[in-house]
Each structure stands twice: as C-alpha cells, then as structure tokens.
Amino acid sequence: RRCGRSYSGGVPLTRPLPGAPQPVFAAAGGRERFETRVTALENGLRVASQNKFGQFCTLGLLVNSGSRHEAKYLSGIAHFLEKLAFSSTARFASKDEILLTLEKHGGICDCQASRDTIMYAVSADAKGLDTVVNLLADVVLQPRLSDEEIEMTRMAIRFELEDLNMRPDPEPLLTEMIHAAAYRENTVGLNRFCPVENTDKIDREVLHSYLRNYYTPDRMVLAGVGIEHEQLVECAKKYLLGVEPVWGSGKTKDVDRSVAQYTGGIVKVEKDMSDVSLGPTPIPELTHIMIGLESCSFLEEDFIPFAVLNMMMGGGGSFSAGGPGKGMFTRLYLNVLNRHHWMYNATSYHHSYEDTGLLCIHASADPKQVREMVEIITREFILMAGAVGEVELERAKTQLKSMLMMNLESRPVIFEDVGRQVLATNTRKLPHELCTLISDVKSADIKRVVTKMLRNKPAVAALGDLTDLPTYEHIQAALSSKDGRLPRMYRLFR
C-alpha cells in the first residue's frame, strides 16, 4: 500500500503468502540442537556429529597418527601421506576424477597432517552424504600409491622444503626448532617435515608398513557437522565396517605409545637473513629467538588457565592494523613493543597435546640487540608469576571467549573441534562449558601454573646471526633469577 492506494493482487506483508510452506526456524531451546553425539561401531571406529542448520556439511576422517609416531620409521611419512591424499584409489583412476565427483555436490577436499593427527576433510552439499563417505573410505583405506604419484610427492616436498627456508616469515621453521629443543628426539619433538635425505627412501612398502599399524578403525573418528547423526552412522556402517584396506589387515606390532618426555635444550641455526626479501623495500636483517617452557596437556584442568595466560601475553608484530580488539592491551604489546621500538616482533604461542604442552614467546630484532632482547623476554616470563591485575585478567578471559565463539561460527572449525576432542576423549566439551571454565579462572590459578612452569629448564630456538646470542646456561640462569637479567659476568666479558 502506498499513498493510500493498494496495488491490485498485492498481498499485505502482515499476511503469509498463499501456497507458501510454513517456515521452520532454528530455536535455542532443546539439547538436541547443540549436543555432539558419538556412536562407536563394532570395529572400534567412532562416529561423531554436530547438528547445524544449512545446506552444506563438513565431514571427514581423523586418524590418531602423525610425525610423533615415526620413531621406529623413516622421518617424514606423515608429510608424505598429507601430499598423497585424495590421489588415485581402487575406485577412482586419478585425483581429477575425485575432484569431479565432489564438484557434482559442490564439494572441496583437504588433508592436513600435524604432530598427532592426520585429517581428511570434505565440505559438500548434505544431499551428497552417501557419495562423500564412500569417497572418504576409498581415499583413506584404498589408495593406490602409484610410483608416479610417489615421485610427484617427492618433488612437491623438495619444493616445499626449499620454500620454507626462503620465506621471510620463519615462524614454521622456529616452531619445528622449539619442539626439537623441548622434546629432544622423542614424540612431538620429531620433525613434522620430511628431511630431504628421506624423500628417496620412502616408497610404497614403507608407507604400507606405517599404514598397517596406524590406520586402524580404533584410531579413527568419522566426524560430521551439518548432518543427521543416524544418517552418518548408516553411511559409516555401509562403507567403513568390515572393509579390508589395501595394505591388508595384519596384526599391528609397532604402534608407538610413548609419552612425551620434556628435555629442554637449545637448537641454533646460523643463517644469513640479510636477503630474505629482495625488492625496493627489503625486510631488515633480523635474528629470531623463541624461548619456551613446558605447560600442560589439553586434557588437564590447568589447560584453561594456560590458555588465559597465553591470551594475556598476546603480542604480535611491531605494526598491526586495528585497535584494542587486536590485543593492543596485552602484556607483550604494552611492556615490550611499546617500550622497545627496536623490536620487530614479540608474540606468545601455546602448543598443547594429549600428554604435554609448550608455552613460548617468539621475538625478533637486529642481531646487535640479541642480548637485550633475550633479557626482555626472560623478564616477561618471570613477571608472569607476579601480580595479575583484575582488569587485564577479565580482558584476557573475555577476549579468549570471544575468539572461541567467533571461531565456532565456521563449520570447518566446528568439524575439527568435534573430531579432535572425540579422538582424544570420546566426548566433546561444548562451547558454553568452556566459557564457564574460562570465567572461573582466578589470578591465583595463573600464578600457580606459572610457578610450576618456571621450575622447568627452558627450550630455546635461535635463527639468524647468532654472534651475540647468550649461552644456554646464561638464559637458564636468567629465567631462574628474580628480574630476568643475564648473569653479570656475561654482560662484562661477552
């Protein structure tokens, strides 16, 4: 109706459209709307699903297998398997055929290997559920691993390793180094990337030997988000129950059940960083230091206080667009980057696994200022055990909850969260439960976990021009002191 006149045949907005079906709205009430359902099949495989409204779904297979399990094998198998994923199988002649099948359902696929998990994932129209589960089962259990595919994978890995060493951002390299220093030659300290010398040694026989031990149903979870649980269970029974994999179903004998042993230590790589970025505005030559201490497993109660502590430390690069929402009030911004303008980076990271964890700070500066940078970072570790202001604690808790809820707006993130939690614990803590745990963290909890953490030996990773790098013993002494200062003898005679 406009200007007092009505259009002929028009329907007022206050009345439903004739012939239109009644709308069904998502409601907050009813536990079935948000709970994660888990069903274990006869062969040990777990099926987990999370209801979520929408046309598309994300589902995949997560395997309790990764670089930490390669102690008895050639290092780099998990890296190989990641690159070989979604290649030819018993049913599909090539990767292109797999991609075309997924395309019919608007689907995309991906595989990611980490230290403790290999994840095969697909996002597609929920109507193609049967096809997608069938495809996933074939990809994981019936890969051909042809000579041509293995050779292509070798080439891809060599290129990736070259690229890794040439990147201006050394964070992936430093992450490898800090894990190697913290867990020397065991479990999560084993290299996630395949060493160049192993690329020619890994063949189909080596891969089958590894797959026979680690790709067993009891080490797998089929997780899905955006689909009905009963449908997913039926598809799992149809395509993943009683299926003999291409490597046979022989008895497993070499499964590594080692628990991570934190050792502490230092890994140094002398490297010329002066030409990492050529061009009209090259990146200045920097030395990168990462110092870490053992925290805890994500299965322990102290995991939440450590997560809050990591958020409280925050940090980032010397320039970051945005405002307070980007963490400008975190300690590493306020105490480090705002006061020491010669530092290019100060960032806190928290890595957590089933049996251990690592809280570390990455810092970078001009090679001539390495000694002072190490003092500043060790001082920040010691200050963690001091007084925690109520305002900064509440800000860190609010920011952590906000980040958690924002990440869980993404369907693939929910899928990974469901899969990883069920793989580790057979259940899943829901977001509102985690928010309650975060809210309950007190300043005394932060002080308690930090005091315990500071008793450990540090893990140190150093990359670049290391002429002025303090010795490991000096860094350890600084972390044991009251103010984080390097020993006086070092400052006088170094």
Side-chain angles (χ1 to χ4, degrees), residues 71-176:
K72 298 175 184 176
Y73 290 88
L74 284 168
S75 173
I77 292 175
H79 193 190
F80 251 77
L81 291 171
E82 178 187 73
K83 298 296 178 199
L84 282 164
F86 295 99
S87 295
S88 64
T89 68
R91 284 183 58 242
F92 299 95
S94 67
K95 190 167 196 161
D96 288 344
E97 200 174 314
I98 288 174
L99 296 177
L100 282 169
T101 303
L102 287 174
E103 201 176 287
K104 290 173 187 173
H105 300 283
I108 54 171
C109 61
D110 186 30
C111 178
Q112 291 179 9
S114 62
R115 288 186 150 74
D116 51 4
T117 312
I118 295 181
M119 180 174 67
Y120 299 80
V122 171
S123 284
D125 193 307
K127 291 175 184 173
L129 177 66
D130 190 85
T131 303
V132 170
V133 175
N134 188 3
L135 184 147
L136 276 168
D138 217 45
V139 163
V140 177
L141 301 175
Q142 306 289 333
R144 283 187 184 170
L145 305 178
S146 69
D147 293 339
E148 185 185 354
E149 286 167 347
I150 290 173
E151 189 53 45
M152 288 292 288
T153 299
R154 287 179 182 136
M155 290 169 62
I157 286 173
R158 287 187 199 116
F159 175 81
E160 187 176 346
L161 293 173
E162 282 180 29
D163 179 60
L164 200 65
N165 286 311
M166 291 165 60
R167 281 187 197 174
D169 174 25
E171 199 270 323
L173 213 54
L174 282 163
T175 301
E176 290 306 305

Side-chain angles (χ1 to χ4, degrees), residues 219-322:
R219 300 178 69 89
M220 292 183 184
V221 168
L222 174 66
V225 176
I227 38 189
E228 293 296 330
H229 186 71
E230 287 76 15
Q231 281 182 283
L232 189 60
V233 171
E234 284 306 309
C235 287
K237 286 178 178 176
K238 188 175 175 183
Y239 299 113
L240 290 161
L241 200 60
V243 177
E244 181 164 337
V246 71
W247 49 84
S249 53
K251 196 174 180 183
T252 59
K253 54 183 178 179
D254 290 324
V255 175
D256 184 5
R257 294 187 173 86
S258 304
V259 175
Q261 302 296 315
Y262 181 85
T263 60
I266 186 167
V267 172
K268 298 188 287 186
V269 176
E270 289 269 2
K271 188 178 177 186
D272 181 8
M273 305 287 280
S274 59
D275 59 351
V276 289
S277 176
L278 302 173
T281 54
I283 293 173
E285 183 181 359
L286 300 174
T287 293
H288 299 268
I289 305 292
M290 196 177 268
I291 299 175
L293 290 164
E294 188 179 24
S295 58
C296 73
S297 150
F298 60 69
L299 299 176
E300 296 177 50
E301 288 182 6
D302 285 344
F303 172 68
I304 299 295
F306 269 115
V308 174
L309 171 65
N310 181 54
M311 193 59 66
M312 193 171 76
M313 297 308 294
S318 56
F319 172 79
S320 177

Side-chain angles (χ1 to χ4, degrees), residues 19-38:
Q22 284 292 103
V24 179
F25 299 103
R31 187 170 176 79
E32 71 283 352
R33 299 291 185 197
F34 55 81
E35 72 174 344
T36 300
R37 296 179 63 187
V38 182

Side-chain angles (χ1 to χ4, degrees), residues 174-199:
L174 282 163
T175 301
E176 290 306 305
M177 290 165 64
I178 197 76
H179 279 81
Y183 306 91
R184 193 166 289 277
E185 296 177 1
N186 77 91
T187 58
V188 293
L190 300 176
N191 201 332
R192 194 169 66 84
F193 298 105
C194 180
V196 178
E197 62 271 17
N198 285 359
T199 52

Side-chain angles (χ1 to χ4, degrees), residues 315-319 328-346 364-365 369 372-373 375-377 379-380 383 392 483 485:
S318 56
F319 172 79
M328 294 296 183
F329 286 110
T330 60
R331 284 194 181 186
L332 292 179
Y333 264 118
L334 293 176
N335 301 348
V336 178
L337 294 168
N338 285 356
R339 294 183 184 181
H340 308 283
H341 295 245
W342 45 268
M343 284 185 70
Y344 282 79
N345 196 332
S364 57
Q369 290 167 305
E372 196 177 346
M373 175 169 67
E375 272 198 0
I376 289 164
I377 297 307
R379 191 184 308 136
E380 285 306 312
L383 287 172
E392 74 167 338
D483 57 4
R485 287 187 177 275

